[in-house]
Every structure is written in C-alpha cells, then in structure tokens.
C-alpha cells in the first residue's frame, strides 16, 4: 500500500505535497518523491528512504509550480531504489504519474510498449501505466488538450487489470491533474481555491474538511478553478460532499514518543467514543444505527460469519467466543484471504461481518464481495468513514476511535473487541439473555474506559519488565478461551514492532509441541484468568517452570498464584468476562511497545510493514 497526494491551487505545490506525504508515511515508507509542472516541463525530486530524507537531501521544498503530485511507496513490483520511486515520467517526457495498487497485466503491456519504442528506467508496474497513457495520448486526435489528456487516461485504464489509485499530469495541460481509482482509496479535498487528492484524509485535514470520496471506477479531472467527476465510461457523476470530523491534532504526536504510545494511552477516550450513543434507553442492551437490519431480520439469523485479517482477525476470535457464550448463535471465523478461495458450504441464514480498521484491506474487501456475490448480507466494522469496505457493505458500525497512525493496531483493536462484545449483547438480548443479565453486561461495558485507565497505570511496571526481557529472541504467549486470541495478539504485536520471534497458543496446547522450545532463553507470557480455568493455566505455568522457562504472568487481581511460580506478575483488575480480553490486551500492548522502544526500533513504521495492505 502507498500514499499519494496531489495539489492544484494558488500556493507552491511541493511544500503542501511533502507535508501531506509525511502524514501518509504510515501507508508505506520505502521511498518518496514529488513532481511539479511548470512552464510545460516537470520538476522532479525522488529517492529511496523516508519523506524526511527527501525533504532534507534535495531542493524538494523549493520545486516551482502550483500543480504537483507526490508519493510515498511500499514496494510491490521492483526493489527499494531511487529509480523505482514515484512519480514516474513517460519516456517521451509528457506524462508524470503516481500510483497506489498493483497492475496485474503490466508485463504484457510493457512488452507491447517496448514494441512501440517506449523505454523504461524502473522495474515498476507504474511506469508501464505512465508510458501507456503517453502512448494513447500521442495517438489521440488533438481536439482540445484537456479532453485529449482525459481520453488517453480513460483508454489506458480500460486496458489495466488490477487495482489503482492514480494521479497523472501532462506537460501539454499546465494546470490539470487527472485522478482515478479502482480498489485503492482516493479522496478529493475541496479547499479555498485549491483542490487536493490523497489516499486518506490525514493528508488533507490541515487544509480542508470538505471532501469527496471517489468510488471505484470513477475519475476526477482537476483544473485550476474547478473539478469534475466522471465514470471510466465517461458518464458524469454528481459529487457527494462529506465533512471530515477528524481534527489536525488527532494526527499529531502531542508530546508522545510514538503514535503507538499515544494511541495506547488514548484508549480510554477512544473506547468511550466507540460506545457513545450505543446503549438502549432501558439500559439492558446495545443499539446500533447503521446495521440496516430489523430485529426480525436478526431473529432469522442462525449463524454469524466473521472475516478479517491480522489483529482484526484476532478480534473476531474473541467475538466468536462472546457471541456463542452470550447469544448462543454459532459463529465461524475466517481469514479473509482464505475465505475467498475455500468455497465453504454456507447456510441460508448466515450474517457476515467484515472487521477492518482501515476499511481498505484488499483481502477483506475481496471476501466481502465474495459473500455478497453469494447473496449474503455483509455488515462492516470499520474505523474509516467512507472507506471502500464501509461503502460496499450492507451496513455496519463505525469504530469512531480517530485516526490510528501507528502501523501496529492498538486502540482500533480494543475498539473491535468492545464492539464485538456489544454485538454479542445485542444479539443475545434478542434471544435468551435476560433483562438483568443484559443490564449487568451494559454496566460492565460502560466501566471499560475506567478499567483501561486503571490498567494503564501498570505502564511503569511493564516498562521495567520490558527492560529485563528485551534481549530474548523467542517468546511464547499463552492464554485460554477468550484470552487465547489475546495471546495471539500479544505475539503479533511483539513480532511486528520489535522483530522478535513470538508465537501465541492456547495454554493447554503448549504441551503438544511448543514446549520443546522452552528453555531459559524462551520466556512465556501467560494470560491468567480467575475462575474455572485458573488452575488449568497454573498447571501449564508449572510445566514451563519445571523446564526452567521464564514465566511472565498477566493475572487477574483475585488469582492466588503459587509463590515463586512466575518470575514476573502483572496484576490486572477483576472484571466481567465479556470485557476481560480488552483489559488483558493493555499489558501485552505495553510490553511489546516498551521492548521495541528499548531496542530502538522504528515503532510507528516497522520494517516491511504498512498500515493497510491494499495488495493481495
Ligand atoms: C495489526 O497490528 C497489523 N498492523 C495488521 O495485522 C492489521 O491488523 C491487518 O493488516 C488488518 O488491517 P485492517 O484492520 O485495516 O483491515
């Protein structure tokens, strides 16, 4: 996934674009570049490395011109090199293009273009599209430059298989940018006498809150004083304006060392926002405004199917446990990337949910489309208003936790856990859950922000534990039932930001193989619930201890752990079983964050990762 920015207006384009690229770097940060158009020629600055490096190492800020495009890359085709950085220029020098997505038939198109005499400087699929547009342009009858430009882009995109969010400039059209999207997000910002294009709102929020979300198959034609939207088939589209509710400071560090740290500590307020207005007046159940299904529809449902990737998939495993526990409705959970090709036999009355913070994860979007193709209703849980998944679903629930900039998901993940628990309540109260049980459940949910605040007070202890354990190279994370997915999440967090190998397992499963890994060099993090599973988990801890494995216990306050069993004991507050996964998540987030910080890792932009994976 990459970040793209375009600007056309009264100010110098380069500084505006570079500022926007800095806010998009969490989408990809292998290389960056900016191109402006002035006096019929392109001014170009691009290189491997971060946006900051581009700003410092070349006169990028000083590029002339009030029309420009910029890009920050997450490599798909071609290595991380200056030549592969975007923007790309056509070999005849007429077109400059930036692209987010994958052109699947780029090899055949490249072969055709080489045959027409076009040359290539990079290994990218994007340069192929750039030359293709130049090819169609030189073939297009010279009626009026603008429409000739537009038609050459249109014709080129009709030959493309794959996904794209693009912005392109032409030397013959000095104050124009053409944009188009298919499978990759693209937003148009309408400012005061200026227009911006961006992959998401964080790049334009400082200049305007007035946006138009382009839909798949749409194109935008920006000029100095106007814009028009059409379909790839050249039909006019009336723009639908939206107002972004995020504020600039939501996408700023505000004194924290990293966005991940800020977003961990934002969770009490973020979870408050996720719940706001979502409890029924009688206080015994949840309510959602956007499900677009009646209670009667929900009564017909006899199965729920959850689709997601990564951390969002972990949240589905918790939702599965809670919906089956409290609503007595069977649940299936699939990796979105697997569901699409598994061809699972499905019942008639299954309700699908996709869970996706970004709302742009291509595997989850493809799974949504597959379920809809089979005639099922699909509801989306997402954090980005107007995202592709949110718009293609039949309804859903926005998370409302504000922009999550850190690549490692934290507040969005606990919000997904919270909303999963609320859905379990909502469906349960349509079935056998009593008024009093529902009311108690609601009170437990309302108490989550304060319980999270209380648990965040453990940060200094987790920081000290992190210092003692940051040098290990292998970890096991172990939990049972609704805490097993939190063990998976803890392992993922540690892997993705500290680059330390970690695995999550059901605690009892550890003796069926992973126990072979145990030594003094392989710590185990146990999530220890009170109640019936307590003694079972203690037995697993003893098996580890007997083999000299270091044990870190994250245990509910009421647990009476045998003395000396754990090398570290972190106490989390007792709570209702529906919210225990949320509370247990806080220490594993803090542990992974402090270990990564201790190791000096780039916590917000870990190597090889991107915030939302819009390539399959
Ligand atoms: C989480 O820490 C990861 N960054 C990643 O697993 C993420 O959860 C996954 O890519 C799904 O993203 P989405 O929620 O935006 O669909």
């Amino acid at each position: 996934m990459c970040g793209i920015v375009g600007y056309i207006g009264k100010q110098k384009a380069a500084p505006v674009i570079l500022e926007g690229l800095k806010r998009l770097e969490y989408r990809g940060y292998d290389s960056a570049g900016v191109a402006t158009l002035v006096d019929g020629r392109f001014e170009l600055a691009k290189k491997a490395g971060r946006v900051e490096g581009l700003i410092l190492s070349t006169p990028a800020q000083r590029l002339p011109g009030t029309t420009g495009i910029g890009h920050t890359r997450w490599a798909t085709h071609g290595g991380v090199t200056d030549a592969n950085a975007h923007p790309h220029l056509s070999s005849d020098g007429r077109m400059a293009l930036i692209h987010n997505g994958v052109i699947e038939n780029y090899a055949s198109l490249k072969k055709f273009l080489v045959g027409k005499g076009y040359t290539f400087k990079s290994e990218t699929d994007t340069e192929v599209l750039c030359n293709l547009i130049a090819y169609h342009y030189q073939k297009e009858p010279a009626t009026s430059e603008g429409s000739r430009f537009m038609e050459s882009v249109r014709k080129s995109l009709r030959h493309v298989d794959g996904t794209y969010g693009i912005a392109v400039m032409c030397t013959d059209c000095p104050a124009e940018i053409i944009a188009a999207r298919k499978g990759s997000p693209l937003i148009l910002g309408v400012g005061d006498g200026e227009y911006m294009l961006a992959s998401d709102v964080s790049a334009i929020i400082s200049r305007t809150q007035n946006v138009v979300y382009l839909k798949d198959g749409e194109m935008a034609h920006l000029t100095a004083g106007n814009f028009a939207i059409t379909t790839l088939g050249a039909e006019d589209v009336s723009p639908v304006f939206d107002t972004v509710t995020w504020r600039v400071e939501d996408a700023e560090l505000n004194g924290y060392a990293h966005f991940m740290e800020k977003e961990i500590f934002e969770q009490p307020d973020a979870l408050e926002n996720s719940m706001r207005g979502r409890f029924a007046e009688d206080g015994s159940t949840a309510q959602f405004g956007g499900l677009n299904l009646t209670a009667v529809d929900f009564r017909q449902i006899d199965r729920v199917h959850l689709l997601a990737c990564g951390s969002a998939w972990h949240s589905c495993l918790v939702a599965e446990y809670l919906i089956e526990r409290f609503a007595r409705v069977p649940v299936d959970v699939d990796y979105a990337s697997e569901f699409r090709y598994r061809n699972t036999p499905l019942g008639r009355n299954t309700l699908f949910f996709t869970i996706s913070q970004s709302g742009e994860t291509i595997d989850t979007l493809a799974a949504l489309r597959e379920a809809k193709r089979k005639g099922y209703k699909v509801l989306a849980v997402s954090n980005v208003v107007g995202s592709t998944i949110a718009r293609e679903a039949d309804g859903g629930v926005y998370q409302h936790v504000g922009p999550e900039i850190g690549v490692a998901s934290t507040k969005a993940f606990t919000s997904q856990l919270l909303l999963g628990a609320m859905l379990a309540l909502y469906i349960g109260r349509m079935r056998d859950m009593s008024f009093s049980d529902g009311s108690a459940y609601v009170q437990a949910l309302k108490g989550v922000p304060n319980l999270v605040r209380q648990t965040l007070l453990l940060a200094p202890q987790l920081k000290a534990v992190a210092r003692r354990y940051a040098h290990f190279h292998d970890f096991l994370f172990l939990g049972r039932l609704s805490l097993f997915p939190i063990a998976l999440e803890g392992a993922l967090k540690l892997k993705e930001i500290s680059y330390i190998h970690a695995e999550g397992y059901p605690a009892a499963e550890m003796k069926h193989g992973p126990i072979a890994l145990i030594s003094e060099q392989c710590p185990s993090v146990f999530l220890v619930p009170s109640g019936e599973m307590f003694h079972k988990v203690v037995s697993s801890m003893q098996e580890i201890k007997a083999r000299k494995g270091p044990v870190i216990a994250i245990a509910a306050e009421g647990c009476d752990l045998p003395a000396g069993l754990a090398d570290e004991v972190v106490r989390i507050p007792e709570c209702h079983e529906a919210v225990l996964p949320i509370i247990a998540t806080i220490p594993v987030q803090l542990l992974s964050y402090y270990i990564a910080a201790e190791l000096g890792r780039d916590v917000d932009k870990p190597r090889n990762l991107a915030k939302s994976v819009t390539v399959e």
Side-chain angles (χ1 to χ4, degrees), residues 63-83:
L63 289 183
T66 60
T67 300
I69 55 177
H71 183 276
T72 182
R73 183 174 181 240
W74 185 67
T76 51
H77 291 80
V80 179
T81 62
D82 294 355

Side-chain angles (χ1 to χ4, degrees), residues 83-274:
N84 287 338
H86 303 206
H88 288 285
L89 306 186
S90 54
S91 52
D92 65 4
R94 265 212 181 109
M95 301 292 169
L97 175 78
I98 52 175
H99 168 228
N100 174 24
V102 175
I103 294 171
E104 293 174 359
N105 61 331
Y106 81 99
S108 56
L109 292 173
K110 184 167 185 175
K111 190 174 174 193
F112 165 78
L113 290 163
V114 167
K116 295 294 182 185
Y118 286 84
T119 57
F120 293 84
K121 294 179 182 155
S122 82
E123 308 156 288
T124 67
D125 54 342
T126 303
E127 189 182 14
V128 172
L129 177 55
C130 193
N131 273 332
L132 186 63
I133 294 170
Y135 166 75
H136 281 291
Y137 184 80
Q138 56 85 25
K139 276 187 59 193
E140 193 66 26
T143 48
S144 73
E145 300 307 6
S147 64
R148 184 180 169 200
F149 181 23
M150 186 51 135
E151 285 318 301
S152 62
V153 177
R154 222 188 278 283
K155 282 182 179 166
S156 302
L157 292 177
R158 287 179 186 141
H159 288 86
V160 164
D161 297 335
T163 58
Y164 54 79
I166 61 167
V168 54
M169 301 187 294
C170 173
T171 52
D172 295 344
C173 306
E176 294 184 41
I177 297 175
I178 289 177
R181 70 154 286 175
K182 179 189 166 204
S184 294
L186 203 51
I187 294 160
L188 171 60
V190 181
D192 177 14
E194 62 182 29
Y195 298 106
M196 289 192 72
L197 289 161
S199 303
D200 78 36
V201 291
S202 50
I204 55 181
I205 187 75
S206 61
R207 304 187 72 84
T208 180
Q209 291 180 291
N210 201 16
V211 299
V212 176
Y213 294 100
L214 289 184
K215 296 184 180 63
D216 274 359
E218 291 183 347
M219 303 176 74
H221 190 177
L222 280 60
T223 58
N226 198 1
F227 75 93
I229 298 175
T230 56
T231 65
L232 198 54
E235 294 95 30
D236 291 340
V237 174
S238 302
V240 176
F241 289 90
D242 209 319
T243 303
V244 180
T245 55
W246 291 357
R247 302 154 308 156
V248 174
E249 54 272 25
D250 288 339
E252 288 174 347
L253 275 173
N254 297 345
Y256 286 96
H258 301 101
F259 280 108
M260 183 178 176
E261 183 189 23
K262 176 188 172 200
E263 287 149 8
I264 287 173
F265 284 90
E266 269 179 346
Q267 289 179 110
D269 294 340
L271 295 172
E272 198 83 63
N273 292 335
S274 257

Side-chain angles (χ1 to χ4, degrees), residues 21-52:
L21 290 179
K22 278 197 288 189
R23 294 188 186 282
L24 290 185
E25 257 198 315
Y26 66 95
R27 301 175 58 85
Y29 29 89
D30 296 333
S31 59
V34 57
T36 57
L37 175 54
V38 62
D39 300 337
R41 70 178 190 287
F42 293 125
E43 296 284 345
L44 178 65
K46 65 177 188 174
K47 68 193 296 297
R50 299 289 168 84
V51 172
E52 202 56 37

